[in-house]
Amino acid sequence: MQIQTNFSSKTIPDKYGCNVTPEHLNHGINQQSFPFQIIALPTGTSYVCWTLIDYDTIPLIGFPWIHWVVANYPVHTKTISIAPNFSESTLLPQGRNSIDSLVQRLRHPLWCHTSFGQNLAIHYSGPRPRQGSHQYRLTVYALETLIPVENGFYLNTLFDHLESVILDQTSLNLSYERRQP
């Protein structure tokens, strides 16, 4: 099993991160998810799920920043293509990203109770390093059965269910750099 993108040098294009014009940002966040392919899925794969996590945030805020979590994508072939902006167009369950974190609640206490706050917390949250370049780890899990989760699940819930249904997993390290305006 392998993840493929059409990005040059494994760099997430600007149109999927913070280096876009303000009208493409929702409260400073780019929600346009990037496309990718998963090839050579193992025999018996019925579903895939994936995560996109920035581990470079650990020295800054004390934990990895979750950018995207998706579960229960149905598989019917050995290769699947995830379309651009999949996050905004899918009805599949998406997990909570790190916008729904203690850090955000301290910065904006009422934000999580608004409709836009809820929307931002359960969809793709594009890269936006404070400065410089960060590495983002996209991990795909091949599953033999559906995971019992609903929209807005937490990452630990996904991991709780993976052990008994996982067939294979693969990861791809991607980078993104904030450019100064």
mmCIF file of all heavy atoms in Angstrom, residues 66-99:
data_model
loop_
_atom_site.group_PDB
_atom_site.id
_atom_site.type_symbol
_atom_site.label_atom_id
_atom_site.label_comp_id
_atom_site.label_asym_id
_atom_site.label_seq_id
_atom_site.Cartn_x
_atom_site.Cartn_y
_atom_site.Cartn_z
ATOM 1 N N ILE A 66 -3.441 17.993 15.216
ATOM 2 C CA ILE A 66 -4.237 17.168 14.312
ATOM 3 C C ILE A 66 -4.887 18.091 13.287
ATOM 4 O O ILE A 66 -5.654 18.986 13.649
ATOM 5 C CB ILE A 66 -5.331 16.397 15.084
ATOM 6 C CG1 ILE A 66 -4.716 15.551 16.187
ATOM 7 C CG2 ILE A 66 -6.172 15.552 14.131
ATOM 8 C CD1 ILE A 66 -5.723 15.087 17.236
ATOM 9 N N HIS A 67 -4.614 17.858 12.025
ATOM 10 C CA HIS A 67 -5.181 18.681 10.954
ATOM 11 C C HIS A 67 -6.381 18.039 10.276
ATOM 12 O O HIS A 67 -7.238 18.743 9.752
ATOM 13 C CB HIS A 67 -4.119 18.991 9.897
ATOM 14 C CG HIS A 67 -3.167 20.041 10.327
ATOM 15 N ND1 HIS A 67 -3.367 21.380 10.073
ATOM 16 C CD2 HIS A 67 -2.011 19.965 11.019
ATOM 17 C CE1 HIS A 67 -2.369 22.079 10.570
ATOM 18 N NE2 HIS A 67 -1.535 21.241 11.163
ATOM 19 N N TRP A 68 -6.419 16.686 10.257
ATOM 20 C CA TRP A 68 -7.500 16.038 9.516
ATOM 21 C C TRP A 68 -7.601 14.585 9.940
ATOM 22 O O TRP A 68 -6.593 13.895 10.058
ATOM 23 C CB TRP A 68 -7.185 16.126 8.037
ATOM 24 C CG TRP A 68 -8.291 15.877 7.061
ATOM 25 C CD1 TRP A 68 -9.633 15.867 7.294
ATOM 26 C CD2 TRP A 68 -8.123 15.619 5.665
ATOM 27 N NE1 TRP A 68 -10.304 15.629 6.124
ATOM 28 C CE2 TRP A 68 -9.404 15.477 5.098
ATOM 29 C CE3 TRP A 68 -7.011 15.506 4.831
ATOM 30 C CZ2 TRP A 68 -9.611 15.217 3.753
ATOM 31 C CZ3 TRP A 68 -7.213 15.254 3.492
ATOM 32 C CH2 TRP A 68 -8.494 15.110 2.959
ATOM 33 N N VAL A 69 -8.819 14.128 10.165
ATOM 34 C CA VAL A 69 -9.084 12.725 10.488
ATOM 35 C C VAL A 69 -10.360 12.317 9.748
ATOM 36 O O VAL A 69 -11.394 12.975 9.891
ATOM 37 C CB VAL A 69 -9.298 12.506 12.008
ATOM 38 C CG1 VAL A 69 -9.479 11.033 12.317
ATOM 39 C CG2 VAL A 69 -8.163 13.098 12.821
ATOM 40 N N VAL A 70 -10.262 11.253 8.965
ATOM 41 C CA VAL A 70 -11.416 10.753 8.205
ATOM 42 C C VAL A 70 -11.529 9.246 8.434
ATOM 43 O O VAL A 70 -10.518 8.538 8.436
ATOM 44 C CB VAL A 70 -11.277 11.038 6.692
ATOM 45 C CG1 VAL A 70 -12.440 10.447 5.907
ATOM 46 C CG2 VAL A 70 -11.172 12.539 6.431
ATOM 47 N N ALA A 71 -12.746 8.770 8.597
ATOM 48 C CA ALA A 71 -12.975 7.335 8.798
ATOM 49 C C ALA A 71 -13.969 6.791 7.779
ATOM 50 O O ALA A 71 -14.791 7.536 7.233
ATOM 51 C CB ALA A 71 -13.510 7.085 10.204
ATOM 52 N N ASN A 72 -13.855 5.495 7.539
ATOM 53 C CA ASN A 72 -14.858 4.723 6.814
ATOM 54 C C ASN A 72 -15.054 5.115 5.350
ATOM 55 O O ASN A 72 -16.176 5.105 4.842
ATOM 56 C CB ASN A 72 -16.196 4.768 7.558
ATOM 57 C CG ASN A 72 -16.075 4.170 8.931
ATOM 58 O OD1 ASN A 72 -15.219 3.323 9.190
ATOM 59 N ND2 ASN A 72 -16.914 4.611 9.848
ATOM 60 N N TYR A 73 -13.949 5.421 4.664
ATOM 61 C CA TYR A 73 -14.033 5.652 3.221
ATOM 62 C C TYR A 73 -14.160 4.283 2.550
ATOM 63 O O TYR A 73 -13.277 3.444 2.681
ATOM 64 C CB TYR A 73 -12.780 6.379 2.726
ATOM 65 C CG TYR A 73 -12.831 6.765 1.270
ATOM 66 C CD1 TYR A 73 -13.208 8.046 0.891
ATOM 67 C CD2 TYR A 73 -12.514 5.844 0.274
ATOM 68 C CE1 TYR A 73 -13.259 8.407 -0.443
ATOM 69 C CE2 TYR A 73 -12.565 6.198 -1.068
ATOM 70 C CZ TYR A 73 -12.940 7.476 -1.418
ATOM 71 O OH TYR A 73 -12.997 7.832 -2.742
ATOM 72 N N PRO A 74 -15.263 4.029 1.817
ATOM 73 C CA PRO A 74 -15.463 2.700 1.235
ATOM 74 C C PRO A 74 -14.505 2.420 0.074
ATOM 75 O O PRO A 74 -14.196 3.309 -0.711
ATOM 76 C CB PRO A 74 -16.913 2.735 0.751
ATOM 77 C CG PRO A 74 -17.264 4.171 0.647
ATOM 78 C CD PRO A 74 -16.368 4.933 1.578
ATOM 79 N N VAL A 75 -14.056 1.188 0.006
ATOM 80 C CA VAL A 75 -13.085 0.769 -1.009
ATOM 81 C C VAL A 75 -13.696 -0.332 -1.870
ATOM 82 O O VAL A 75 -14.235 -1.306 -1.337
ATOM 83 C CB VAL A 75 -11.796 0.247 -0.326
ATOM 84 C CG1 VAL A 75 -10.843 -0.347 -1.341
ATOM 85 C CG2 VAL A 75 -11.124 1.356 0.467
ATOM 86 N N HIS A 76 -13.590 -0.155 -3.204
ATOM 87 C CA HIS A 76 -14.109 -1.154 -4.130
ATOM 88 C C HIS A 76 -13.049 -1.610 -5.132
ATOM 89 O O HIS A 76 -13.303 -2.514 -5.923
ATOM 90 C CB HIS A 76 -15.328 -0.607 -4.872
ATOM 91 C CG HIS A 76 -16.398 -0.117 -3.952
ATOM 92 N ND1 HIS A 76 -17.159 -0.955 -3.173
ATOM 93 C CD2 HIS A 76 -16.817 1.138 -3.642
ATOM 94 C CE1 HIS A 76 -18.015 -0.256 -2.437
ATOM 95 N NE2 HIS A 76 -17.818 1.017 -2.706
ATOM 96 N N THR A 77 -11.884 -0.959 -5.121
ATOM 97 C CA THR A 77 -10.798 -1.289 -6.040
ATOM 98 C C THR A 77 -9.478 -1.251 -5.279
ATOM 99 O O THR A 77 -9.435 -0.849 -4.113
ATOM 100 C CB THR A 77 -10.735 -0.291 -7.215
ATOM 101 O OG1 THR A 77 -10.480 1.023 -6.686
ATOM 102 C CG2 THR A 77 -12.033 -0.268 -8.016
ATOM 103 N N LYS A 78 -8.403 -1.590 -5.934
ATOM 104 C CA LYS A 78 -7.070 -1.590 -5.316
ATOM 105 C C LYS A 78 -6.461 -0.189 -5.246
ATOM 106 O O LYS A 78 -5.447 0.025 -4.597
ATOM 107 C CB LYS A 78 -6.119 -2.504 -6.092
ATOM 108 C CG LYS A 78 -6.486 -3.963 -6.012
ATOM 109 C CD LYS A 78 -6.026 -4.534 -4.707
ATOM 110 C CE LYS A 78 -6.226 -6.033 -4.693
ATOM 111 N NZ LYS A 78 -5.921 -6.603 -3.421
ATOM 112 N N THR A 79 -7.068 0.762 -5.960
ATOM 113 C CA THR A 79 -6.588 2.147 -5.971
ATOM 114 C C THR A 79 -7.768 3.078 -5.753
ATOM 115 O O THR A 79 -8.826 2.886 -6.342
ATOM 116 C CB THR A 79 -5.931 2.481 -7.325
ATOM 117 O OG1 THR A 79 -4.813 1.616 -7.519
ATOM 118 C CG2 THR A 79 -5.465 3.926 -7.378
ATOM 119 N N ILE A 80 -7.585 4.073 -4.888
ATOM 120 C CA ILE A 80 -8.626 5.083 -4.702
ATOM 121 C C ILE A 80 -8.015 6.467 -4.819
ATOM 122 O O ILE A 80 -6.851 6.679 -4.504
ATOM 123 C CB ILE A 80 -9.382 4.923 -3.368
ATOM 124 C CG1 ILE A 80 -8.437 4.993 -2.175
ATOM 125 C CG2 ILE A 80 -10.179 3.645 -3.343
ATOM 126 C CD1 ILE A 80 -9.148 4.966 -0.835
ATOM 127 N N SER A 81 -8.821 7.399 -5.287
ATOM 128 C CA SER A 81 -8.395 8.787 -5.435
ATOM 129 C C SER A 81 -9.259 9.666 -4.544
ATOM 130 O O SER A 81 -10.485 9.624 -4.637
ATOM 131 C CB SER A 81 -8.537 9.246 -6.887
ATOM 132 O OG SER A 81 -7.656 8.527 -7.707
ATOM 133 N N ILE A 82 -8.602 10.440 -3.725
ATOM 134 C CA ILE A 82 -9.293 11.399 -2.864
ATOM 135 C C ILE A 82 -9.251 12.744 -3.586
ATOM 136 O O ILE A 82 -8.174 13.261 -3.896
ATOM 137 C CB ILE A 82 -8.620 11.494 -1.474
ATOM 138 C CG1 ILE A 82 -8.486 10.099 -0.839
ATOM 139 C CG2 ILE A 82 -9.369 12.465 -0.581
ATOM 140 C CD1 ILE A 82 -9.779 9.329 -0.693
ATOM 141 N N ALA A 83 -10.400 13.290 -3.871
ATOM 142 C CA ALA A 83 -10.514 14.511 -4.668
ATOM 143 C C ALA A 83 -10.132 15.758 -3.870
ATOM 144 O O ALA A 83 -10.220 15.760 -2.633
ATOM 145 C CB ALA A 83 -11.949 14.661 -5.174
ATOM 146 N N PRO A 84 -9.741 16.822 -4.581
ATOM 147 C CA PRO A 84 -9.525 18.099 -3.890
ATOM 148 C C PRO A 84 -10.818 18.527 -3.192
ATOM 149 O O PRO A 84 -11.916 18.274 -3.688
ATOM 150 C CB PRO A 84 -9.183 19.083 -5.007
ATOM 151 C CG PRO A 84 -8.878 18.266 -6.205
ATOM 152 C CD PRO A 84 -9.548 16.937 -6.023
ATOM 153 N N ASN A 85 -10.674 19.139 -2.060
ATOM 154 C CA ASN A 85 -11.790 19.642 -1.257
ATOM 155 C C ASN A 85 -12.741 18.525 -0.801
ATOM 156 O O ASN A 85 -13.913 18.766 -0.546
ATOM 157 C CB ASN A 85 -12.556 20.745 -1.991
ATOM 158 C CG ASN A 85 -13.244 21.668 -1.020
ATOM 159 O OD1 ASN A 85 -12.827 21.823 0.127
ATOM 160 N ND2 ASN A 85 -14.311 22.300 -1.454
ATOM 161 N N PHE A 86 -12.222 17.323 -0.694
ATOM 162 C CA PHE A 86 -13.016 16.183 -0.222
ATOM 163 C C PHE A 86 -13.628 16.469 1.148
ATOM 164 O O PHE A 86 -14.782 16.126 1.408
ATOM 165 C CB PHE A 86 -12.126 14.932 -0.150
ATOM 166 C CG PHE A 86 -12.799 13.745 0.437
ATOM 167 C CD1 PHE A 86 -13.603 12.930 -0.339
ATOM 168 C CD2 PHE A 86 -12.641 13.435 1.782
ATOM 169 C CE1 PHE A 86 -14.244 11.824 0.210
ATOM 170 C CE2 PHE A 86 -13.280 12.333 2.338
ATOM 171 C CZ PHE A 86 -14.078 11.531 1.545
ATOM 172 N N SER A 87 -12.879 17.105 2.017
ATOM 173 C CA SER A 87 -13.332 17.335 3.386
ATOM 174 C C SER A 87 -14.643 18.108 3.452
ATOM 175 O O SER A 87 -15.518 17.794 4.250
ATOM 176 C CB SER A 87 -12.260 18.079 4.182
ATOM 177 O OG SER A 87 -12.694 18.324 5.495
ATOM 178 N N GLU A 88 -14.786 19.114 2.607
ATOM 179 C CA GLU A 88 -15.994 19.935 2.638
ATOM 180 C C GLU A 88 -17.171 19.268 1.932
ATOM 181 O O GLU A 88 -18.312 19.621 2.174
ATOM 182 C CB GLU A 88 -15.718 21.304 1.996
ATOM 183 C CG GLU A 88 -14.987 22.256 2.909
ATOM 184 C CD GLU A 88 -15.825 22.688 4.100
ATOM 185 O OE1 GLU A 88 -16.954 23.155 3.934
ATOM 186 O OE2 GLU A 88 -15.323 22.535 5.233
ATOM 187 N N SER A 89 -16.898 18.305 1.049
ATOM 188 C CA SER A 89 -17.978 17.730 0.251
ATOM 189 C C SER A 89 -18.459 16.361 0.729
ATOM 190 O O SER A 89 -19.487 15.885 0.280
ATOM 191 C CB SER A 89 -17.532 17.624 -1.211
ATOM 192 O OG SER A 89 -16.420 16.753 -1.326
ATOM 193 N N THR A 90 -17.748 15.733 1.630
ATOM 194 C CA THR A 90 -18.108 14.371 2.040
ATOM 195 C C THR A 90 -19.115 14.344 3.183
ATOM 196 O O THR A 90 -19.176 15.275 3.988
ATOM 197 C CB THR A 90 -16.858 13.562 2.443
ATOM 198 O OG1 THR A 90 -17.248 12.204 2.646
ATOM 199 C CG2 THR A 90 -16.236 14.103 3.725
ATOM 200 N N LEU A 91 -19.847 13.252 3.230
ATOM 201 C CA LEU A 91 -20.738 12.989 4.364
ATOM 202 C C LEU A 91 -20.153 11.922 5.283
ATOM 203 O O LEU A 91 -20.767 11.548 6.278
ATOM 204 C CB LEU A 91 -22.115 12.553 3.864
ATOM 205 C CG LEU A 91 -22.876 13.605 3.055
ATOM 206 C CD1 LEU A 91 -24.192 13.041 2.523
ATOM 207 C CD2 LEU A 91 -23.111 14.862 3.862
ATOM 208 N N LEU A 92 -18.966 11.421 4.939
ATOM 209 C CA LEU A 92 -18.304 10.429 5.789
ATOM 210 C C LEU A 92 -17.917 11.051 7.127
ATOM 211 O O LEU A 92 -17.699 12.265 7.214
ATOM 212 C CB LEU A 92 -17.044 9.898 5.105
ATOM 213 C CG LEU A 92 -17.260 9.051 3.861
ATOM 214 C CD1 LEU A 92 -15.912 8.677 3.242
ATOM 215 C CD2 LEU A 92 -18.053 7.807 4.187
ATOM 216 N N PRO A 93 -17.797 10.241 8.166
ATOM 217 C CA PRO A 93 -17.412 10.789 9.468
ATOM 218 C C PRO A 93 -15.996 11.362 9.450
ATOM 219 O O PRO A 93 -15.072 10.722 8.954
ATOM 220 C CB PRO A 93 -17.501 9.602 10.423
ATOM 221 C CG PRO A 93 -17.809 8.404 9.626
ATOM 222 C CD PRO A 93 -18.049 8.808 8.217
ATOM 223 N N GLN A 94 -15.889 12.565 9.969
ATOM 224 C CA GLN A 94 -14.585 13.204 10.142
ATOM 225 C C GLN A 94 -14.396 13.485 11.621
ATOM 226 O O GLN A 94 -15.326 13.905 12.311
ATOM 227 C CB GLN A 94 -14.496 14.493 9.331
ATOM 228 C CG GLN A 94 -14.557 14.231 7.830
ATOM 229 C CD GLN A 94 -14.377 15.489 7.024
ATOM 230 O OE1 GLN A 94 -13.263 15.989 6.923
ATOM 231 N NE2 GLN A 94 -15.453 15.994 6.456
ATOM 232 N N GLY A 95 -13.184 13.242 12.073
ATOM 233 C CA GLY A 95 -12.882 13.437 13.479
ATOM 234 C C GLY A 95 -12.528 14.877 13.793
ATOM 235 O O GLY A 95 -12.302 15.697 12.908
ATOM 236 N N ARG A 96 -12.450 15.149 15.073
ATOM 237 C CA ARG A 96 -12.101 16.496 15.534
ATOM 238 C C ARG A 96 -10.615 16.751 15.314
ATOM 239 O O ARG A 96 -9.783 15.915 15.613
ATOM 240 C CB ARG A 96 -12.445 16.647 17.010
ATOM 241 C CG ARG A 96 -13.929 16.559 17.236
ATOM 242 C CD ARG A 96 -14.312 16.973 18.640
ATOM 243 N NE ARG A 96 -15.744 17.007 18.734
ATOM 244 C CZ ARG A 96 -16.511 18.037 18.346
ATOM 245 N NH1 ARG A 96 -15.956 19.116 17.866
ATOM 246 N NH2 ARG A 96 -17.819 17.975 18.461
ATOM 247 N N ASN A 97 -10.324 17.931 14.789
ATOM 248 C CA ASN A 97 -8.935 18.343 14.662
ATOM 249 C C ASN A 97 -8.550 19.140 15.913
ATOM 250 O O ASN A 97 -9.349 19.289 16.839
ATOM 251 C CB ASN A 97 -8.720 19.130 13.360
ATOM 252 C CG ASN A 97 -9.597 20.373 13.271
ATOM 253 O OD1 ASN A 97 -9.731 21.115 14.229
ATOM 254 N ND2 ASN A 97 -10.191 20.599 12.110
ATOM 255 N N SER A 98 -7.343 19.644 15.932
ATOM 256 C CA SER A 98 -6.857 20.318 17.146
ATOM 257 C C SER A 98 -7.409 21.721 17.348
ATOM 258 O O SER A 98 -7.130 22.347 18.364
ATOM 259 C CB SER A 98 -5.328 20.348 17.153
ATOM 260 O OG SER A 98 -4.833 19.045 17.339
ATOM 261 N N ILE A 99 -8.225 22.195 16.418
ATOM 262 C CA ILE A 99 -8.924 23.451 16.683
ATOM 263 C C ILE A 99 -9.837 23.263 17.890
ATOM 264 O O ILE A 99 -10.084 24.175 18.655
ATOM 265 C CB ILE A 99 -9.687 23.928 15.433
ATOM 266 C CG1 ILE A 99 -8.675 24.353 14.371
ATOM 267 C CG2 ILE A 99 -10.650 25.050 15.758
ATOM 268 C CD1 ILE A 99 -9.263 24.653 13.030
#
